[in-house]
Amino acid sequence: MPVFEMSDANFPVDAEGRTYHVECRRGDIANRVVTVGDPQRAKLMAKKFDKILLERSSHRGFLIITGIYKDVPITVVSIGMGLSMMDFFVRETRAVVDGPMSIVRFGSCGSICDAKPGNIIVCTSSYGIMRNYDHFTNPFKKAESPYLITDRVQADPTLTLSLSTKLKNSMGKDSVFEGSNGCADSFYGSQGRLGSNFVDENDNLIPTLKKKYSDAVSLEMEAHMLYHLAAVSKDAQSGEQSIKATCALIVFADRTGNEFITPEASQIAVEHCTEAIFNTLVEESFKGSSLHPVEGSV
Ligand code: R1P
């Protein structure tokens, strides 16, 4: 017996129209969305809502909280970690929202610049860092590089400028950094973390990234997928790009100074950034409507 009765193997939905993994249906998700990794971060942000319309956890670890902030519906979704979770989130929410979407990722990262734990990094672009699996296991591919580094995908420039300006006003301009983010397929090997239990050949990875991209500032695990999917999104009728995306990251780890954030500093950073992020989304104006209320899902 399946746990869930789904129809349509191509894009599974249940009898009530909920998607397979995120478990969202039409009316659950606002056009203005914040995505975070940690459900506690989502709950802390949702405290700034004037009213909660919907809170729902999925069987695959997604948490949706839709609320009203300054009369505007905003959805916060916690997705867990990694590229696949970002892919589920973007594709399944996109499938149930009508009209354009603006998505801000509010995550955490390791800093490979001067930003210290508790500072914020706004990702003006993001590139992918993938382990070149064959290099490690195929003796004929030893000459290939152990890591594949993609081109950069730009964040939406207007959304990014608006977010960065508001974060600087809230946190102080010296606490906010900007640059290219490296989005890795692992927390460990593909982010240059060293260990003795596996062959990773990553001692030189961070200098290689900095050489390729002189504005490299951070490492995390989701932003490139978000920016990539935004770049290839298309409205079914007009063919125009249907998702705008940007990203702000709290520095959790200083990869140069080898420091890690305290739980208190992490909470303070979330509290300082939430209104800047919500206000950025509130100011987004969409063609045809400025509100896009969600209906009938509470
Ligand atoms: C790793 O600890 C996780 O933290 C970062 C990474 O991208 C990865 O998901 O982001 P979040 O804090 O948003 O989860």
Side-chain angles (χ1 to χ4, degrees):
M1 269 277 286
V3 179
F4 293 91
E5 296 267 352
M6 309 299 293
S7 59
D8 190 350
N10 180 60
F11 197 91
V13 286
D14 71 10
E16 293 177 329
R18 287 203 174 85
T19 63
Y20 187 26
H21 309 91
V22 182
E23 291 184 22
C24 56
R25 63 178 174 178
R26 190 154 257 96
D28 286 351
I29 309 289
N31 295 70
R32 298 166 173 84
V33 184
V34 183
T35 173
V36 302
D38 182 341
Q40 295 312 320
R41 196 177 309 145
K43 287 177 185 167
L44 199 53
M45 295 188 85
K47 287 189 178 166
K48 299 281 184 193
F49 282 148
D50 302 317
K51 187 179 169 194
I52 305 263
L53 300 175
L54 168 78
E55 182 164 346
R56 184 184 170 93
S57 302
S58 89
H59 71 294
R60 290 289 189 170
F62 295 88
L63 170 68
I64 301 167
I65 310 177
T66 296
I68 299 290
Y69 177 80
K70 296 186 176 171
D71 292 330
V72 176
I74 293 176
T75 297
V76 181
V77 186
S78 90
I79 67 167
M81 294 174 275
L83 299 171
S84 300
M85 295 299 271
M86 181 57 84
D87 187 69
F88 285 129
F89 154 73
V90 176
R91 290 179 189 268
E92 294 189 19
T93 56
R94 179 62 281 181
V96 301
V97 173
D98 296 317
M101 294 174 76
S102 292
I103 302 178
V104 177
R105 164 162 156 73
F106 182 35
S108 67
C109 69
S111 163
I112 54 170
C113 65
D114 292 338
K116 299 293 171 209
N119 289 160
I120 301 298
I121 292 180
V122 174
C123 309
T124 51
S125 69
S126 187
Y127 54 92
I129 309 163
M130 196 174 75
R131 187 176 182 89
N132 183 359
Y133 298 92
D134 292 347
H135 166 91
F136 293 91
T137 52
N138 182 340
F140 299 104
K141 295 197 173 170
K142 274 283 161 219
E144 292 182 6
S145 169
Y147 294 91
L148 306 172
I149 303 164
T150 73
D151 291 345
R152 287 176 290 193
V153 181
Q154 300 300 315
D156 182 85
T158 314
L159 194 60
T160 305
L161 178 62
S162 172
L163 177 63
S164 187
T165 305
K166 288 176 182 56
L167 287 169
K168 284 174 186 163
N169 286 341
S170 164
M171 305 278 294
K173 68 176 175 33
D174 294 342
S175 301
V176 180
F177 294 71
E178 292 179 3
S180 289
N181 170 70
C183 174
D185 64 354
S186 162
F187 182 78
Y188 296 103
S190 318
Q191 289 189 36
R193 287 191 162 91
L194 308 177
S196 54
N197 291 325
F198 300 93
V199 175
D200 288 325
E201 297 180 38
N202 60 356
D203 307 53
N204 207 35
L205 181 59
I206 292 177
T208 303
L209 302 175
K210 288 176 130 176
K211 195 169 167 209
K212 184 169 171 89
Y213 297 124
S214 58
D215 67 340
V217 281
S218 54
L219 295 172
E220 52 80 84
M221 298 170 62
E222 295 84 11
H224 180 249
M225 180 63 84
L226 173 62
Y227 289 5
H228 171 76
L229 289 175
V232 300
S233 64
K234 62 181 172 70
D235 178 77
Q237 265 85 51
S238 67
E240 283 176 23
Q241 186 173 329
S242 71
I243 300 175
K244 294 202 277 182
T246 193
C247 181
L249 305 169
I250 307 166
V251 175
F252 270 23
D254 172 3
R255 296 296 308 283
T256 318
N258 202 19
E259 269 184 83
F260 208 83
I261 198 168
T262 62
E264 296 74 28
S266 156
Q267 181 158 339
I268 289 167
V270 175
E271 279 164 5
H272 278 155
C273 294
T274 298
E275 289 187 71
I277 293 167
F278 284 177
N279 285 327
T280 301
L281 286 168
V282 164
E283 283 180 16
E284 281 292 276
S285 60
F286 298 119
K287 272 184 218 155
S289 166
S290 60
L291 281 185
H292 293 273
V294 288
E295 289 165 5
S297 46
V298 190

